[in-house]
Amino acid sequence: MPAEPFVLFGPLFFPVLNFLRNPVVYTVVASLANRRKASNIRGLNSLHRVVVTNERDAGILKSWGLSNAAIVPPGIDVSRVVPDALPMKDEVTVLMASAPWVVEEQFDTKGVDVLLDAVASVSTLRLILLWRGFLLKELLERIDRRGIGDRVEVVSHHVNVNHYLKRTHAAVLLAKRGDIVNAYPHSLIASLLAGKPVILTDALPMADYVRHNRCGIVVDEVRTGPFIAAVEALKSRYGELARNARRIDSRAFSEQAMIEGYRDLYRLGVT
């Protein structure tokens, strides 16, 4: 039988918070879907608010018995994102900007191997990987084994993601579990605000937003076949998906909107 996946309790309550007198707002940025019920619900309920970025995780908190859950959407510097259309032709270029930081395991759980296998199988697929510098040797070995170095671009230094979004048709993030990435990954938000659709797995709560706004393709499984099918769907529906991405109001994901959301929570805590 396969080994059971390692599941953490969360979010954790830190006893030092009991000594703080001002309102405490506790934020969870990754998904809670693969977390066991928090071990100290009473402590978390004593906080002013436990904040998540989406309805899916807010529902999990409420099912655990938390009565102080709140939602504040994530924010990015939208001034850096410039919509820039890229016509769809024969070749499709996708970008991934969430590099693994655990040897072997996250090449699987973050779908990196699936992306590389897809590039090896589809001659018209190109991939840009924005890497953190960790596990670079392991990545390059994987690319070399597949003989796809001419169609995979690895960027291992600090860059502005928007410079690379201009050259891509879509951003992609395939995660087997939502707790290993942000519930709303910043690279996917930037992609949508640049007018580029996204491809992501249902494990990410952002999948609900993408489905509702019809601005990308949601994949149910982190496997090569379903991902290649998603790329084909992206090609065939690209005009529609890109139009829907361009309709998204950037103010919804601005840093200012996020800051105002937190300010409102703290105002309620001191009145």
Side-chain angles (χ1 to χ4, degrees):
M1 293 180 63
E4 288 295 320
F6 179 67
V7 181
L8 292 174
F9 287 99
L12 300 176
F13 177 76
F14 300 97
V16 69
L17 299 178
N18 288 320
F19 297 96
L20 303 179
R21 294 291 172 260
N22 290 329
V24 174
V25 174
Y26 185 120
T27 300
V28 182
V29 296
S31 176
L32 294 167
N34 290 88
R35 299 276 175 157
R36 294 174 183 165
K37 183 177 179 180
S39 57
N40 192 332
I41 296 298
R42 180 180 297 179
L44 290 170
N45 260 325
S46 70
L47 303 177
H48 174 55
R49 288 290 187 273
V50 177
V51 176
V52 291
T53 59
N54 59 88
E55 293 282 356
R56 190 189 294 191
D57 287 324
I60 291 173
L61 290 178
K62 290 175 183 177
S63 73
W64 288 350
L66 265 74
S67 58
N68 56 348
I71 297 174
V72 176
I76 66 171
D77 183 358
V78 298
S79 67
R80 291 175 171 240
V81 183
V82 180
D84 194 351
L86 181 65
M88 177 64 74
K89 297 181 181 178
D90 291 335
E91 285 193 339
V92 181
T93 301
V94 297
L95 175 145
M96 177 186 174
S98 182
W101 45 271
V102 177
V103 175
E104 293 297 331
E105 177 194 351
Q106 288 191 355
F107 280 95
D108 173 49
T109 56
K110 284 193 173 185
V112 178
D113 285 333
V114 164
L115 294 178
L116 298 179
D117 287 341
V119 173
S121 299
V122 180
S123 61
T124 55
L125 180 60
R126 291 183 170 272
L127 174 64
I128 299 174
L129 292 171
L130 300 189
W131 216 249
R132 293 191 182 95
F134 296 111
L135 308 178
L136 181 60
K137 179 175 177 288
E138 290 82 354
L139 171 65
L140 296 178
E141 288 174 350
R142 280 169 154 80
I143 293 171
D144 186 61
R145 283 201 303 267
R146 293 169 173 84
I148 54 175
D150 60 329
R151 288 184 290 119
V152 179
E153 180 179 353
V154 179
V155 183
S156 61
H157 55 279
H158 181 74
V159 296
N160 183 338
V161 65
N162 302 295
H163 295 161
Y164 290 87
L165 284 172
K166 294 179 181 180
R167 297 166 41 207
T168 66
H169 294 98
V172 59
L173 184 47
L174 307 178
K176 289 187 174 182
R177 307 197 321 264
D179 60 333
I180 58 175
V181 294
N182 285 350
Y184 269 63
H186 287 186
S187 60
L188 299 190
I189 296 173
S191 180
L192 292 179
L193 299 185
K196 310 295 178 76
V198 296
I199 300 176
L200 73 168
T201 38
D202 187 59
L204 278 68
M206 189 176 177
D208 301 334
Y209 181 90
V210 170
R211 283 196 187 98
H212 179 75
N213 290 280
R214 299 179 181 180
C215 53
I217 306 294
V218 178
V219 183
D220 291 330
E221 299 177 88
V222 183
R223 292 194 298 112
T224 305
F227 175 65
I228 291 175
V231 172
E232 291 302 316
L234 176 77
K235 288 180 68 174
S236 64
R237 298 174 52 200
Y238 194 71
E240 167 205 351
L241 297 173
R243 281 194 301 273
N244 291 340
R246 289 194 295 270
R247 291 189 181 117
I248 292 173
D249 188 348
S250 64
R251 291 174 295 183
F253 292 111
S254 69
E255 289 177 327
Q256 189 59 38
M258 180 181 67
I259 291 168
E260 286 302 320
Y262 279 103
R263 280 179 177 163
D264 289 343
L265 292 180
Y266 278 103
R267 287 190 191 107
L268 290 172
V270 298
T271 56

